[in-house]
Amino acid sequence: MPELPEVETLCRQLRKTIVGHTLLNTRTLDEKLENFSELENHQVISVTRRGKNLLLSFDNGRVLVIHLRMTGRLLWQEENGATPNYTRFIMTFPHGRIFFIDPRRFMTITWERTFPVQCGPEPLPRIDPAYMTGRGKNRKGPIKTFLLDQTVIAGISNIYACEILHLAEIAPMRPVCSLDAQQWQRLLSAADAILNKAVKCRGTSISDWRDFNGQKGTFQNELRVYGRDSLPCPRCGATVVRCSLGGRGTYFCPECQT
DNA sequence: CCCTATGTTCCCAA
DNA sequence: CTTGGGAACATAGG
């Protein structure tokens, strides 16, 4: 669930809350995660985002890279309260603490030395279409799968890929190399529009996504195809279809997406 | 019991 | 070397 807009939302909230503050204590509650006590008593210098990764820089030169994968969440708590279920890691600051929550335990927390992962360019601001035609040359696979490839573009996953292709009026199964210049243009404009709007909405709370304060986002109210199979397409009225591409649920309008 | 789920990485085959 | 398909990771919910 956490894609670029969700991670960007957390990034901004985290930045406002912890930059300039000293990390007093860390606690690892999952043996899959390392011990990070080396960061204790060091100040947070910056919080940034790269694709779906959150980067926390500390004043000892270390950078922590957090990836939430499928079900990871970060939750801020100022009052001393109960530890939420599935908490895997805790960071305590003078004015509150951060719970790293993850039922499925896919979340990763690593040092900078394992970074940069191969990460394509950020879709915001808009990517140059020439880059996409270059990368997409000779690619026979479906455009939707291509959009999910983090080494091509950083930060897009299933929900936003479906929404972007719908706005761009491009069918998800179209071979990458079949897109013309105008379609690449439309695709990149659509990515820019959808992702910007989703950031403004603080993400899509279709199941368990919550922001740093436990609040839902609102982009689920803006979805035009994702999760809407057998409902009418908001643009042309035809029935939205669900199919499987690369093993993932894919929603599109067979009428106006070509 | 079965199937599905938001992401990534690894293995393998063409 | 590149590309693409599928399984694996761990768990909850319908």
Side-chain angles (χ1 to χ4, degrees):
Chain A
M1 162 149 304
E3 307 185 33
L4 185 152
E6 288 77 21
V7 179
E8 178 64 21
T9 298
L10 281 177
C11 180
R12 293 177 184 185
Q13 295 178 316
L14 209 48
R15 186 181 292 148
K16 255 191 275 183
T17 309
I18 63 168
V19 168
H21 292 277
T22 299
L23 176 60
L24 298 181
N25 185 260
T26 63
R27 192 140 73 95
T28 302
L29 300 167
D30 181 346
E31 69 285 350
K32 280 176 71 179
L33 299 174
E34 283 178 59
N35 183 293
F36 295 99
S37 54
E38 188 181 329
L39 297 174
E40 290 171 6
N41 302 311
H42 287 283
Q43 193 177 312
V44 179
I45 298 301
S46 70
V47 179
T48 54
R49 180 189 60 76
R50 181 75 181 90
K52 301 170 196 168
N53 300 276
L54 276 174
L55 283 66
L56 312 200
S57 309
F58 288 82
D59 69 2
N60 61 350
R62 307 299 303 257
V63 178
L64 208 58
V65 181
I66 300 159
H67 195 301
L68 301 170
R69 305 284 175 126
M70 307 266 267
T71 51
R73 289 178 50 196
L74 300 184
L75 184 66
W76 177 246
Q77 183 189 65
E78 293 189 352
E79 312 296 325
N80 259 11
T83 301
N85 276 346
Y86 310 118
T87 297
R88 310 298 181 188
F89 186 65
I90 304 172
M91 281 183 170
T92 303
F93 290 88
H95 57 315
R97 44 187 182 161
I98 304 172
F99 295 116
F100 292 63
I101 303 166
D102 187 15
R104 286 174 67 179
R105 303 169 65 210
F106 286 158
M107 175 169 58
T108 54
I109 308 175
T110 51
W111 300 108
E112 188 192 26
R113 53 180 148 77
T114 63
F115 209 77
V117 223
Q118 320 237 22
C119 238
E122 293 286 330
L124 299 178
R126 200 176 312 192
I127 293 170
D128 179 359
Y131 165 79
M132 297 300 287
T133 46
R135 291 294 306 257
K137 214 184 300 172
N138 308 327
R139 290 289 205 115
K140 198 71 184 100
I143 180 64
K144 192 217 172 195
T145 307
F146 193 63
L147 290 180
L148 301 186
D149 184 341
Q150 301 301 298
T151 68
V152 173
I153 305 185
I156 296 174
S157 291
N158 211 29
I159 297 175
Y160 297 109
C162 291
E163 294 298 309
I164 288 165
L165 287 167
H166 180 263
L167 184 58
E169 302 180 49
I170 297 168
M173 61 289 288
R174 278 281 299 281
V176 175
C177 57
S178 76
L179 298 205
D180 63 29
Q182 189 197 9
Q183 289 170 324
W184 280 119
Q185 194 72 251
R186 283 215 309 268
L187 183 60
L188 296 169
S189 301
D192 183 87
I194 295 278
L195 295 172
N196 267 317
K197 190 171 179 187
V199 168
K200 286 203 181 86
C201 290
R202 296 180 357 275
T204 304
S205 291
I206 209 161
S207 56
D208 50 9
W209 158 250
R210 298 292 184 279
D211 71 9
F212 199 41
N213 302 307
Q215 302 290 306
K216 289 186 177 189
T218 59
F219 197 76
Q220 63 277 15
N221 303 321
E222 313 292 329
L223 296 175
R224 297 167 75 84
V225 283
Y226 186 84
R228 295 178 49 82
D229 50 315
S230 72
L231 292 173
C233 167
R235 181 168 44 219
C236 75
T239 302
V240 172
V241 164
R242 180 192 188 278
C243 69
S244 185
L245 266 190
R248 342 194 70 85
T250 300
Y251 302 86
F252 69 105
C253 173
E255 212 45 56
C256 63
Q257 289 181 255
T258 59

